Amino acid sequence: MIRTLNTRRVLNLLKTSASFFLSTLLRKPVIWGAPSILTIEPTNICNLHCPLCTTGAGEMIRPAGRMTLDTFKMIVDQVGDEVFFLLIYHQGEPYLNSDFFEFVRLAKQKNIYVTTSTNGHYFSPQNVRKTISCGLDSMIVSVDGVTQASYARYRSGGTLKKVITGTKLLIEERKKLRSRTPNIALQFLVMKHNESEIPAMRRLAGEIGVDRFLVKSIEVHSVAEGQEWLPNLEKYRRYHFDGQNLIVKNSGKKYCTRPWLSTLVNWDGTVVPCCFDKNGKYSMGILRPDAPFGVVWLNESLNSFRQKLITNRQGIDICSNCNQGLGNFLPKRFWRKKG
């Protein structure tokens, strides 16, 4: 990732960071530069029906669709020289967009670090070769159980054996082609029904041969969901939960850097503040040839959102389930509470 940083990108990152800190001091948004980190949604369509996912649970109110190659190219042409880190995923399975590999190629032509996240059901021999040859830097493969029954409890409609076989094929092909990329992380969502499987999943990750094993907490939206899905072990929860009250840990964080340093573009070109706006409630505009990124980045809608984020973050509903803030961009010793 460091190799993607050049003078222009470093200066842009310094400008956006400085404008964020100045905004917090002045209590009004000051915007310099363009986002250094960008998320692009290739599609909001998925083959699985995960019950806590907006798409999988059938709670997506945005139209279903796939980003066109022209839209992606327009975005990269406009901000690709400033962006150094690109995530190509959001509310859907990236491999369901047939232009996914070309998206990665276009971004790599700009020397941008590119990552994605997948449920791993589309690792055919052809797709495996394309995944390696397009230049993808890293990827997350989600596997949430060591048995089919445990896996399918959340990944509804999924087949564990298919994911494991495909991931092994990807790793074997990467070795065969003597490629260092993509770096592959197996991600395990910890839930009530699978928390006892963490040691076994760690062993399975070693057997598959992935580069990293990630343990992630789940996001819930109600007490009922908490009762059904939250693990018993406190360290794997992102909430304080007594069975009746659901409180996000570290929810008191005052500031968030995201609308200064990053943003998200949905498949249809609409710009939203971040990944917590899954249904596009806070659409800040739509990118078109006659409405370039710079216009949306500086428009009144996004600046009004930034203003509210500075003065009343807790009053923004999509922020109520988020515990990310300034501390996420600083070493833990600067913000972690003692004791």
Side-chain angles (χ1 to χ4, degrees), residues 15-271:
K15 286 194 293 185
T16 54
S17 300
S19 68
F20 165 73
F21 285 110
L22 185 58
S23 297
T24 62
L25 290 173
L26 298 177
R27 306 286 285 173
K28 65 178 183 180
V30 175
I31 306 302
W32 297 330
S36 294
I37 301 170
L38 182 64
T39 300
I40 292 179
E41 178 184 71
T43 182
N44 62 348
I45 301 169
C46 192
N47 55 306
L48 302 185
H49 304 282
C50 306
L52 296 179
C53 170
T54 302
T55 298
E59 298 172 351
M60 178 63 64
I61 62 175
R62 291 190 283 123
R66 298 171 174 84
M67 180 173 283
T68 66
L69 188 58
D70 286 342
T71 298
F72 186 91
K73 189 175 187 302
M74 176 185 67
I75 297 168
V76 172
D77 285 346
Q78 291 178 7
V79 295
D81 291 331
E82 282 74 32
V83 170
F84 74 89
F85 189 88
L86 173 63
L87 304 90
I88 307 183
Y89 65 90
H90 183 36
Q91 288 296 302
E93 169 53 46
Y95 280 76
L96 288 177
N97 188 319
S98 59
D99 288 319
F100 169 72
F101 305 108
E102 190 59 29
F103 289 174
V104 178
R105 289 191 188 93
L106 287 172
K108 293 308 299 178
Q109 288 175 8
K110 290 278 190 178
N111 193 33
I112 301 171
Y113 184 96
V114 185
T115 189
T116 193
S117 182
T118 175
N119 60 47
H121 280 76
Y122 295 95
F123 290 151
S124 65
Q126 182 181 22
N127 281 346
V128 160
R129 289 190 291 272
K130 288 182 177 180
T131 299
I132 298 169
S133 64
C134 72
L136 184 69
D137 292 290
S138 64
M139 69 190 318
I140 289 172
V141 181
S142 296
V143 183
D144 309 315
V146 294
T147 68
Q148 174 60 26
S150 176
Y151 173 80
R153 173 78 172 83
Y154 183 71
R155 299 287 167 180
S156 179
T159 305
L160 177 61
K161 184 178 180 180
K162 186 173 185 179
V163 178
I164 293 174
T165 300
T167 306
K168 286 181 176 179
L169 179 63
L170 177 58
I171 293 170
E172 290 169 2
E173 189 69 15
R174 190 182 64 176
K175 290 179 180 177
K176 180 180 177 182
L177 296 176
R178 297 181 180 179
S179 175
R180 298 178 62 184
T181 57
N183 184 280
I184 303 167
L186 187 151
Q187 179 173 278
F188 182 77
L189 288 178
V190 185
M191 293 166 276
K192 182 178 291 186
H193 70 277
N194 69 4
E195 61 185 315
S196 63
E197 298 179 8
I198 294 176
M201 181 56 69
R202 194 180 298 276
R203 290 193 296 272
L204 178 60
E207 293 169 7
I208 295 172
V210 296
D211 302 293
R212 293 181 295 155
F213 174 64
L214 307 177
V215 175
K216 185 180 180 182
S217 60
I218 60 166
E219 177 184 339
V220 297
H221 302 90
S222 67
V223 169
E225 288 182 348
Q227 291 171 341
E228 182 177 0
W229 296 100
L230 285 180
N232 293 310
L233 291 173
E234 181 70 23
K235 68 177 181 177
Y236 294 124
R237 294 181 182 180
R238 67 172 71 179
Y239 309 89
H240 297 295
F241 185 57
D242 60 6
Q244 297 299 324
N245 299 289
L246 194 68
I247 303 173
V248 180
K249 294 178 180 178
N250 300 316
S251 59
K253 290 184 177 180
K254 192 173 182 181
Y255 300 120
C256 177
T257 61
R258 289 194 176 195
W260 280 262
L261 275 67
S262 67
T263 196
L264 189 152
V265 184
N266 287 321
W267 71 265
D268 60 354
T270 55
V271 177

